[in-house]
Amino acid sequence: MNWKAHIVWMLIAGAAGPLAAAAAQQDTNAPVKSVFIQPANPNEGRDPFYPNSMRPYQDATPAQHTVDLSAIQIKGFSEIAGHRYVIINNHTFAEGDEGDVLTKGGRVHLRCLAVGPRSVLVEVNGARQLLNSSDQ
């Protein structure tokens, strides 16, 4: 090796020395944080699998399912050992129960809040409704 090559090697080794020392000083146990920014339009980013899709730019909040309350009907009442029960669309509920009932528009999730002698207070999609037995 001639003296010029030896100087080049020393310069390279000298430059690599501080870089290697800096890399060795980094904390390898530090957590790595990933950051994802949802693109607002196709110019900011796109789906690599479906590049023509507009799905990433649409609002992700699901629409509230509206319920036709006339489809929710009281079929009957009963009382056993001091506990009142109501039958709504062929599903029996006690106070505090919740479940899905079938309607013509599909399944509706409701919570039974109170059962009275001839009425029931239910919560459907976060809204409270008083159903009377005369609503049949």
Side-chain angles (χ1 to χ4, degrees):
M1 183 179 333
N2 64 20
W3 66 273
K4 290 181 184 177
H6 187 64
I7 291 176
V8 170
W9 235 169
M10 288 176 58
L11 289 174
I12 291 173
L19 293 176
Q25 289 178 356
Q26 288 182 346
D27 185 13
T28 57
N29 294 329
V32 178
K33 295 183 180 180
S34 297
V35 178
F36 177 76
I37 299 171
Q38 181 70 32
N41 59 50
N43 294 334
E44 292 180 6
R46 60 184 180 165
D47 187 338
F49 300 104
Y50 301 97
N52 296 328
S53 174
M54 296 306 286
R55 180 190 46 78
Y57 320 112
Q58 296 171 351
D59 188 16
T61 56
Q64 271 286 353
H65 178 69
T66 58
V67 178
D68 180 19
L69 292 178
S70 65
I72 300 174
Q73 297 179 351
I74 296 175
K75 300 290 186 176
F77 290 92
S78 64
E79 187 171 337
I80 302 172
H83 296 286
R84 291 187 183 150
Y85 298 92
V86 62
I87 302 171
I88 301 174
N89 289 26
N90 300 329
H91 190 286
T92 304
F93 291 94
E95 188 172 309
D97 288 348
E98 62 181 276
D100 293 337
V101 295
L102 295 175
T103 65
K104 292 179 182 179
R107 288 186 184 269
V108 175
H109 189 80
L110 64 87
R111 179 179 307 173
C112 180
L113 300 175
V115 180
R118 303 305 302 158
S119 64
V120 61
L121 180 64
V122 296
E123 183 177 278
V124 181
N125 284 345
R128 293 182 177 198
Q129 296 292 327
L130 181 65
L131 303 174
N132 294 312
S133 62
S134 61
D135 289 344
Q136 299 180 40

